[in-house]
Amino acid sequence: MKKPIIAGNWKMNNTNATTKTLLQDIAPLVENAQCEVVVCVPYTNIDTARKAIRGTKIKLGAQNVAWAPKGAYTGEISAEMLKELKVEYVIIGHSERRQYFGETDQSVNARVKAALEAGLKPIICVGETLEEREAGKTAEVVIRQTNGAFEGIEKAYLKRIVVAYEPVWAIGTGKTATAQEANDTIAIIRKAIRKLYNKTAANAMRIQYGGSMNAKNASELMAMPEIDGGLIGGASLKAEDFAKVVNY
Ligand code: 13P
């Protein structure tokens, strides 16, 4: 049985001071969680978060990683640097990175490889924009992004990878994909993985839904057969809301 995985993506929120209090508030509320619980915090808060979650169920994640191991890449953070801080998961290819910071399928793929080589667990994000959805291109886009992200990734690494389907139009908008829509698109992503590898690998892959997932809609989404977890933005910034999603 796959263990579901609920991850909070804090995006560019929280200082070290609020990181500590938020995690202290979350920890007791998720103590009996049946799923894996992850918080993906800003780089500057990683060390504070690591200390705050010691002895709890919560695991540590970052929100991006460089494709190169080291060198002249001003502003980037390497996989080795994250490993040193005991980071376990890293979000790669979030739509906000693609939209505002020029991330492409190629750079996402290179970052995934760097993360895997250093022993990190990538959470690879894919998802269509509203324009693409309205043009009937959802399947084409998520298949292209999936194929791109997995290009040249050895089968042996698949166990460490999580995919997040995040329709861009549902992020931060309060509009969720219906559970059925999310389920159907995740099935398309899983089929793409099956074509790249095999049925066993595709079925074993944990694929999350993300996009306005919250305390109210989490249980309906999580009940869908293809949905193996959630990537939570806004609702991960409030202890009670995040805990309700985790305990869906
Ligand atoms: P919201 O939950 O705020 O819509 O954000 C989703 C997201 O982008 C998580 O990565």
Side-chain angles (χ1 to χ4, degrees):
M1 260 296 275
K2 283 184 274 191
K3 193 165 196 185
I5 174 167
I6 304 280
N9 173 12
W10 286 9
K11 308 192 180 186
M12 196 173 71
N13 293 291
N14 286 314
T15 59
N16 278 288
T18 58
T19 292
K20 194 173 167 190
T21 51
L22 179 54
L23 289 171
Q24 283 169 346
D25 289 346
I26 293 172
L29 304 177
V30 301
E31 213 32 47
N32 299 315
Q34 300 300 305
C35 60
E36 219 177 328
V37 187
V38 183
V39 288
C40 299
V41 307
Y43 289 139
T44 51
N45 305 1
I46 288 172
D47 201 47
T48 299
R50 179 179 63 79
K51 288 176 188 137
I53 62 178
R54 216 179 267 154
T56 75
K57 274 223 134 180
I58 307 168
K59 295 178 173 176
L60 189 55
Q63 299 173 15
N64 192 15
V65 63
W67 58 75
K70 62 166 143 180
Y73 299 96
T74 302
E76 287 287 289
I77 298 289
S78 77
E80 187 190 0
M81 293 168 185
L82 296 179
K83 275 300 277 185
E84 186 187 36
L85 295 177
K86 307 283 187 252
V87 168
E88 186 172 340
Y89 284 92
V90 61
I91 297 171
I92 298 176
H94 192 280
S95 62
E96 287 148 18
R97 301 285 328 162
R98 295 179 191 255
Q99 187 181 350
Y100 305 126
F101 303 99
E103 240 22 283
T104 63
D105 293 340
Q106 288 71 31
S107 66
V108 168
N109 176 245
R111 290 181 198 273
V112 170
K113 285 178 177 158
L116 288 169
E117 276 157 26
L120 294 167
K121 298 174 180 170
I123 299 175
I124 301 171
C125 300
V126 301
E128 81 288 0
T129 62
L130 183 59
E131 205 181 9
E132 289 163 341
R133 164 157 289 242
E134 285 174 347
K137 290 190 174 157
T138 299
E140 179 189 325
V141 169
V142 297
I143 292 168
R144 190 204 74 222
Q145 291 174 335
T146 304
N147 287 342
F150 282 88
E151 170 81 43
I153 304 291
E154 307 266 343
K155 205 158 70 182
Y157 281 135
L158 295 182
K159 282 196 194 77
R160 265 204 271 135
I161 300 177
V162 175
V163 176
Y165 167 56
E166 298 205 310
V168 179
W169 48 272
I171 295 176
T173 57
K175 276 189 219 157
T176 339
T178 64
Q180 194 61 52
E181 282 171 331
N183 190 74
D184 293 350
T185 308
I186 290 177
I188 292 168
I189 295 165
R190 201 179 298 286
K191 194 168 158 197
I193 297 168
R194 189 166 75 218
K195 277 200 180 159
L196 290 172
Y197 301 94
N198 58 46
K199 196 172 169 182
T200 314
N203 288 346
M205 179 70 59
R206 292 184 296 177
I207 308 183
Q208 300 171 312
Y209 169 77
S212 299
M213 190 162 162
N214 57 39
K216 287 205 178 80
N217 58 30
S219 56
E220 192 195 350
L221 287 159
M222 290 302 293
M224 299 307 285
E226 293 286 349
I227 302 180
D228 305 314
L231 189 55
I232 321 299
S236 74
L237 299 172
K238 290 201 188 109
E240 266 118 64
D241 289 358
F242 185 58
K244 277 186 192 152
V245 177
V246 166
N247 302 313
Y248 56 91

